[in-house]
Amino acid sequence: MASDRNDLLRFSQLGLPLLIATAALGAATLTAALAYGLPPWLTLGLGLLGLGALAALTTAVVLPSRRAAAALAAGGQRSQELEVALEATVRRLQAGDLAGGAEAGLPSAVAAGFNAATATLATLVQQIQSSSVDVAAAGATIRSSAQDLAAGS
């Protein structure tokens, strides 16, 4: 991912120097042509056309690509922050912490989903514990009945 960002930035910065080099070569050619009799108004017109192309490339390609590269970098940073928060939340859930809730860095929709799932799991755990207590009590009653029956025979 970082390599893709670096490639994007490098390629976006490559166009401007190439255009400047082409403009310099064109200016040298126009200067030579002017020395051999090219009308000055044509030289000025072609020079202005070259500057216009340079300005158009800068505003239409270079600046937006730099903004896109910055946005991509910011998105990558946010993605890493979310990954860390999600990993911490899942680890707490795996460790059995049903009361802790979701990490603060998660988006509200994801945090709400985790909190709802945790609350549901906590309710199921309570039901299982209650059932276990009931089964243990029934086992004690059966044991007591079995002892009474054994004592009566």
Side-chain angles (χ1 to χ4, degrees):
M1 184 79 164
S3 149
D4 292 342
R5 274 184 260 147
N6 291 339
D7 288 345
L8 175 67
L9 189 58
R10 189 182 70 219
F11 288 133
S12 72
Q13 293 173 345
L14 187 62
L16 190 60
L18 286 175
L19 184 63
I20 291 172
T22 304
L25 184 61
T29 303
L30 286 175
T31 303
L34 186 61
Y36 285 104
L38 186 70
W41 64 268
L42 189 56
T43 304
L44 179 63
L46 291 174
L48 290 176
L49 186 64
L51 288 175
L54 182 65
L57 178 75
T58 301
T59 57
V61 175
V62 174
L63 296 177
S65 67
R66 287 187 181 173
R67 283 192 295 270
L72 183 63
Q77 178 65 27
R78 178 66 178 144
S79 172
Q80 289 175 349
E81 291 169 2
L82 288 174
E83 182 179 348
V84 167
L86 186 60
E87 183 179 343
T89 300
V90 169
R91 283 198 179 163
R92 278 201 341 242
L93 191 60
Q94 287 174 338
D97 182 9
L98 298 178
E103 281 291 314
L106 290 177
S108 60
V110 175
F114 262 92
N115 290 335
T118 319
T120 302
L121 285 173
T123 302
L124 291 173
V125 167
Q126 286 291 352
Q127 289 175 355
I128 290 170
Q129 287 175 342
S130 296
S131 297
S132 296
V133 169
D134 291 344
V135 168
T141 303
I142 291 172
R143 185 175 184 191
S144 172
S145 298
Q147 286 175 349
D148 290 343
L149 285 174
S153 7

